[in-house]
Amino acid sequence: MITGTAYLDLNEDGIHQPGEPGLARVVVSNGRDVTRTDDEGTYQLPDADAEFVFVSLPSGHRLTSPFYHRIGSTSAESFDFELALDDQPAAFTFIHYTDMHLADGHQPVEGFREFIAEVNAMAPPPAFAIGTGDITLQGGAGEVYAKEIDAINVPLYHTMGNHEMLVGQPDPKAAYKALFGPTYYSFNYSGVHFVVMDGHQADPTQEGWKNVIGIVSDRELDWLRADLQQIEAGTPIIGLIHIPLVSTFTERRGLHPLSSPWWEVVNYDEAIDVLAAYNTRLVLQGHMHENERIRYRGIDFITIGAVCGGWWRDPLNPDGSPRGYRIVSVVGGEVASRYKSTGFPYDYQLRIEFPEEEKPKV
C-alpha cells in the first residue's frame, strides 16, 4: 500500500514542519489508480506495480516539493507532498513549445536560448510553459536541456517525445524519467485541468525513427479515465501530447495511420473517447514540425511548428513557417492561441513566395 499526506507548506520551504495542516481533496495517483486526500490530507493507493506516486496540482496552489516520488528509491514508508497557496488570475497565458532537438554537441543551443529570452521578456509573463517533447535524449542532450531551462523565469512542465525513447535499453523511457519523472500526469491552474499524455511504445523490429510508434497504453487510459472522473463537471480541459492524436499528415501523403504508426497515435479513438466525454477544449501536439488545426468531436487539435524549425539545419519548418512556439490565452474558460515565430514580431504570420518563373509582373 502507498500512503502519504499532502500538506499546506506554511514556510514554503518544501519540508514538512510541525503545525502545517493537511490539505483535503488533493488528487494523487500511482499511474493507474487515482484517489483524493481525506480531511486530514492523507491518502492511500494500491502498489499496482507503481513506479511513481504523483500529485495533480490543484488550482490556487503551487508545489514547493517535487510533484512525484519514485517508489522504492528510498526507505521512506510514506510519500508526502508540500503545496503553497498561489494567486492565479482568471485570465492567463501559457507557452506551448515543442521539438527542440538539442544535441550533445551544443550546436543548436544558441537558437534555444533565443526562444528562452523571448519568453523571459514577455510582459505580463506567462503563467507557465509546457514542452511537448523531442528534447532530445537520443542526442545525449538531457543534461544540456536541463541546464538551459534553468534560465526560464516561469514554471515548466515537460512531455516526452519519440526521440526520448532509447529503444536499445531495457526501459526505453528510463533516461527521460530519471530527469522528469512520470511520462503522464495532470495539473490544474485557475480552474483549467491540464492532462499531459504519453503516447509512445518501442518497436525494436523497426529501424531509425520507425522504431517508436504512437500508442496510448491501457494503463495510461485507465489513469486518464480515473483522473478525469475527479474533476468538477464542466471544467475546461487542455491536453498535451507529442505524437498527434489527430492530424492529416499521413492522409496528405497518401498513407493510413495504421500503416504508419510512427506518425500518429493508432488507438487515437480510445483516447479521444475519454477526452470527448468531458469538456475538453484543446489538445496541443508536436512531432510534425508544422502548424495544423483540426476540429474533431468538439475538440480543437492543434499541431505546432518546432522550436528547431528544420532540425536547426533550416530556420523554416517543413510547412514553410519559421521556427517558433505557441502562446495560448485562457479567459473565462475560453481558449485562444496564436503561433509566434522566434525572432520575428508577434504579428509576423504570413509570407507568400512565388517561384522565380511565376512571379507576377508589376
Side-chain angles (χ1 to χ4, degrees), residues 287-347:
H287 192 48
M288 302 305 195
H289 296 234
E290 68 173 23
N291 289 278
E292 181 181 46
R293 177 180 177 178
I294 300 172
R295 188 161 181 82
Y296 177 65
R297 296 186 63 181
I299 303 171
D300 281 332
F301 293 85
I302 297 181
T303 306
I304 74 165
V307 167
C308 74
W311 294 267
W312 300 111
R313 298 185 298 269
D314 188 330
L316 300 181
N317 289 291
D319 68 350
S321 64
R323 58 186 177 90
Y325 53 96
R326 203 160 196 91
I327 302 173
V328 185
S329 300
V330 182
V331 181
E334 296 299 317
V335 182
S337 67
R338 192 173 190 184
Y339 187 72
K340 170 67 173 65
S341 302
T342 307
F344 291 95
Y346 187 70
D347 59 358

Side-chain angles (χ1 to χ4, degrees), residues 213-215 243-252 254-268 288:
I213 59 179
I215 295 179
I243 298 179
L245 293 175
V246 176
S247 172
T248 63
F249 185 90
T250 53
E251 182 182 355
R252 284 182 274 122
L255 303 171
H256 188 279
L258 295 180
S259 67
S260 51
W262 42 85
W263 288 126
E264 296 178 53
V265 171
V266 294
N267 63 337
Y268 65 91
M288 302 305 195

